Amino acid sequence: MYKFKSTLFSLFLSVTSACYAGPWLMAGNLGEKSDIDLLADYGLIKAPVMSWPIAWQNIEPSLTSPNSQALLKTAPASVKQAYQDIQALYKTQAKLDTVNTSITADGGSNINPFPTFANRPRSNFGAGIATGYQTTHFAGNLALSYGRYNDLNRYVHLDGSYLDYFFGNWSIGFDKINRWWGPGYSDSMILSENAVPRPALTLQRMRAYPFETKWLSWLGPWSLTTSLSKLNPDRAIPSPFDWFTNLSFRPVNSLQVSFSRDVMFSGDGRPLNWTMMKNVILGGHTCGAPDHTEEYCTYNFALKQHYDLSLKWSLYQGWKIPLALYLDTSFNDKTPRGHQIKPLTDPIPAKTAFLFGANTWTETNAGFLRIYTEYEYNIQNIWYFWGGHGGDNIYGAGGYPYTY
């Protein structure tokens, strides 16, 4: 009962206006995710939509296309309502040459350490203000917030800030935003709402056009995001670089595929060199041959690599069954122990985790009801990817299954 009251308190205290997101639909709202999934399952959105934030260019032009308008005429009431909600959100968020401002306040007690896709308070009390501006070539948002996070001693944060430049079908810029890569509603195996966002240099494809060449056109619409950041110094290897990359594609309307990779490298005492970069780019992760000394491993190999594969299959396309099945599974090589980097002798996958889920939806008088069930299995203390420090994580020191 106490936890239930705490949740009510948190929801009651939240007085947030429509947060400015500029050229993207940001992660953090379960209703928006459900609407986007419904429109994609019904065929009104053609792009892959498992990796957030999603560029509005993948949503709005597809919704207003002649094919989508024809489908919409015979669509169920819930699909039409989701369409109207997302279109209204687009008109609010993606305004050009207009200053957009949002004010937020939230808080709670006994805050749930298992965050879902939905935003949740990170401190007993928090407040913030954000101001953004977008043109055809630039987009920026300055977000200032106050609140003491559980794992940080800082009170003022820039979470939600970004500055991007657009060229052709790409954007490049600096940001400090949350990302959610995966089909799940309760969790993601690689990037989720759990860890606080960190400053990063990001390159992102804005519109998921398919390849024109016949050799790759079978992939269908595809998107790419790659992001480089530098981590905090309070680690066994202080201040390493962290490089996240996601490639998503949709070969047929009923199937979405997402492949992600994270590699941590360099850091204090591990200068960046060409050999290390070659191993980072090509995935060279093992170092245990007789002629590979610990010093050689320290100076020439990545610290850690993490791979993630997500699949989502919608049975609505083709069978008209309101059901989606999905799998999010990850693999990573051996975690270095102690204060010295050790040879990485275990091949991928040395450690695995996965989330399996299914969801269905049905019409109601108020719109539609989505029901999902997800089973998550984490093993072997994959602590870094959950934002922990010193080898501890919110799951404890072992592997435990969780069902939502």
Side-chain angles (χ1 to χ4, degrees):
M1 179 63 72
Y2 175 68
K3 291 185 178 180
F4 178 69
K5 290 182 177 179
S6 299
T7 303
L8 286 181
F9 171 70
S10 172
L11 294 174
F12 175 76
L13 189 57
S14 179
V15 287
T16 308
S17 66
C19 294
Y20 176 65
W24 296 280
L25 179 57
M26 295 292 187
N29 187 302
L30 275 173
E32 293 170 6
K33 175 174 169 57
S34 184
D35 283 345
I36 291 295
D37 285 345
L38 179 65
L39 295 172
D41 289 336
Y42 197 77
L44 297 180
I45 296 177
K46 302 297 184 182
V49 292
M50 293 193 297
S51 303
W52 295 65
I54 304 172
W56 276 113
Q57 291 187 31
N58 288 318
I59 300 174
E60 200 275 338
S62 182
L63 292 180
T64 55
S65 68
N67 180 66
S68 293
Q69 293 299 306
L71 286 174
L72 198 62
K73 291 179 181 179
T74 57
S78 59
V79 175
K80 294 179 179 179
Q81 184 61 54
Y83 173 89
Q84 294 173 2
D85 291 344
I86 295 300
Q87 282 290 76
L89 191 64
Y90 168 76
K91 293 176 181 178
T92 301
Q93 293 189 354
K95 295 178 180 178
L96 293 178
D97 303 314
T98 303
V99 176
N100 294 275
T101 302
S102 64
I103 299 175
T104 62
D106 57 31
S109 60
N110 194 31
I111 295 172
N112 183 5
F114 299 95
T116 65
F117 185 88
N119 283 326
R120 83 193 195 290
R122 294 188 182 275
S123 59
N124 292 338
F125 173 77
I129 184 171
T131 299
Y133 190 83
Q134 179 185 354
T135 70
T136 55
H137 295 291
F138 291 93
N141 187 49
L142 177 61
L144 294 174
S145 60
Y146 172 88
R148 186 182 185 280
Y149 299 165
N150 292 335
D151 58 345
L152 298 174
N153 291 320
R154 297 186 297 273
Y155 288 82
V156 179
H157 314 278
L158 294 172
D159 298 356
S161 299
Y162 58 82
L163 178 62
D164 289 279
Y165 170 70
F166 308 116
F167 59 100
N169 194 31
W170 296 87
S171 74
I172 187 171
F174 294 96
D175 58 61
K176 195 173 187 291
I177 60 177
N178 274 111
R179 303 185 186 278
W180 183 282
W181 291 354
Y185 284 74
S186 62
D187 206 356
S188 169
M189 296 290 97
I190 187 165
L191 280 178
S192 72
E193 289 286 312
N194 185 63
V196 297
R198 54 184 181 237
L201 173 64
T202 301
L203 176 70
Q204 182 170 344
R205 194 169 193 246
M206 297 298 290
R207 182 82 180 268
Y209 292 112
F211 286 104
E212 295 182 0
T213 171
K214 64 179 181 179
W215 304 108
L216 294 175
S217 60
W218 63 271
L219 291 172
W222 64 277
S223 60
L224 175 69
T225 301
T226 184
S227 186
L228 179 68
S229 61
K230 196 169 182 64
L231 302 182
N232 295 329
D234 54 344
R235 298 177 180 272
I237 303 297
S239 305
F241 286 104
D242 205 6
W243 182 13
F244 280 89
T245 301
N246 172 264
L247 173 65
S248 298
F249 53 97
R250 195 169 176 178
V252 292
N253 281 340
S254 60
L255 179 65
Q256 297 183 56
V257 183
S258 175
F259 177 77
S260 302
R261 178 186 182 228
D262 165 48
V263 56
M264 190 162 58
F265 61 98
S266 188
D268 293 353
R270 306 184 79 247
L272 192 60
N273 56 49
W274 287 111
T275 303
M276 181 182 290
M277 281 306 303
K278 180 189 71 173
N279 287 316
V280 166
I281 294 173
L282 299 180
H285 68 284
T286 58
C287 186
D291 59 338
H292 286 175
T293 63
E294 184 172 314
E295 182 180 4
Y296 178 86
C297 293
T298 300
Y299 282 89
N300 293 286
F301 282 80
L303 284 165
K304 181 187 292 186
Q305 294 186 78
H306 184 157
Y307 294 85
D308 182 272
L309 176 65
S310 296
L311 304 169
K312 182 180 180 182
W313 180 36
S314 172
L315 277 66
Y316 193 85
Q317 297 288 330
W319 288 277
K320 303 303 179 183
I321 301 174
L323 177 67
L325 305 174
Y326 46 93
L327 173 69
D328 183 4
T329 183
S330 64
F331 314 93
N332 69 290
D333 54 16
K334 187 175 178 63
T335 305
R337 299 296 181 183
H339 297 288
Q340 299 296 324
I341 183 71
K342 303 298 182 184
L344 305 183
T345 56
D346 288 353
I348 292 175
K351 301 175 181 178
T352 60
F354 70 88
L355 180 147
F356 176 75
N359 68 67
T360 184
W361 57 94
T362 184
E363 296 279 338
T364 68
N365 292 333
F368 76 101
L369 173 68
R370 183 180 296 276
I371 302 173
Y372 69 86
T373 179
E374 298 180 351
Y375 176 85
E376 177 182 336
Y377 186 73
N378 264 312
I379 193 169
Q380 293 294 333
N381 196 24
I382 308 178
W383 61 270
Y384 162 69
F385 301 100
W386 306 102
H389 296 277
D392 297 324
N393 67 57
I394 59 176
Y395 298 103
Y400 302 92
Y402 299 93
T403 304
Y404 302 86

